Amino acid sequence: MTDHDHPRPYPGQELSVGEVAERSGVAISALHFYEREGLIHSRRTPGNQRRFRREVLRRLSFIRIAQRVGIPLAEIRAALDGLPDGRTPNRQDWERLSAQWREELDDRIRRLQQLRDDFTGCIGCGCLSLDRCGLANPHDRLAADGPGPRKLVS
């Protein structure tokens, strides 16, 4: 019989890395990475196995949602580190942090929309010094540096 064949004796019991992976949908390798990066924490048993508190599931949800909207891991870690006593984020924490990140996300959306709109005129030749390329060479500034794909040859 495996651990999965036995029900947990009480709801507050710690979870193994496999159980966290199964419950959260996060690969074990990603859990190890998040732990190395200081985003989640575990303790080690005398047999050197990782054990996570159940709250890690909410913390992982927070991390995955923030990543999904494009928040860099360094900012997610800083936000989590800013919580009192390293506690798990709650609804109020999410509301506060998401409000802080909203302006950055709005700016990123504006830049992506501009990129999308400018991309329509791109012919994709790789010449980067075309006078009409508004993406890589707005107003043909690279023409002053000489002929050809200036960003590739310099």
Side-chain angles (χ1 to χ4, degrees), residues 80-121:
L80 291 170
D81 289 348
L83 296 174
D85 301 318
R87 69 175 164 75
T88 299
N90 60 30
R91 182 182 307 272
Q92 292 78 23
D93 296 324
W94 177 252
E95 289 171 0
R96 181 178 48 80
L97 291 166
S98 64
Q100 291 173 359
W101 291 332
R102 184 179 181 88
E103 186 176 329
E104 179 185 330
L105 292 172
D106 287 343
D107 183 55
R108 187 176 303 144
I109 289 167
R110 279 190 296 278
R111 284 184 282 135
L112 285 170
Q113 287 172 332
Q114 183 66 45
L115 181 62
R116 179 203 59 209
D117 294 345
D118 289 347
F119 189 69
T120 304

Side-chain angles (χ1 to χ4, degrees), residues 43-99:
R43 71 168 187 88
R44 296 292 181 134
T45 66
N48 202 31
Q49 296 177 333
R50 288 175 170 89
R51 290 294 182 257
F52 295 89
R53 293 177 58 181
R54 298 180 71 76
E55 292 83 19
V56 76
L57 297 171
R58 186 179 318 139
R59 199 171 179 96
L60 286 166
S61 294
F62 176 90
I63 293 166
R64 292 188 68 187
I65 290 167
Q67 279 188 296
R68 185 175 175 124
V69 298
I71 304 301
L73 280 178
E75 287 184 39
I76 297 169
R77 181 177 40 254
L80 291 170
D81 289 348
L83 296 174
D85 301 318
R87 69 175 164 75
T88 299
N90 60 30
R91 182 182 307 272
Q92 292 78 23
D93 296 324
W94 177 252
E95 289 171 0
R96 181 178 48 80
L97 291 166
S98 64

Side-chain angles (χ1 to χ4, degrees), residues 113-147:
Q113 287 172 332
Q114 183 66 45
L115 181 62
R116 179 203 59 209
D117 294 345
D118 289 347
F119 189 69
T120 304
C122 180
I123 61 172
C125 71
C127 179
L128 304 189
S129 67
L130 289 172
D131 62 344
R132 61 181 279 190
C133 184
L135 292 175
N137 188 17
H139 310 294
D140 200 23
R141 285 183 283 217
L142 294 175
D145 295 339

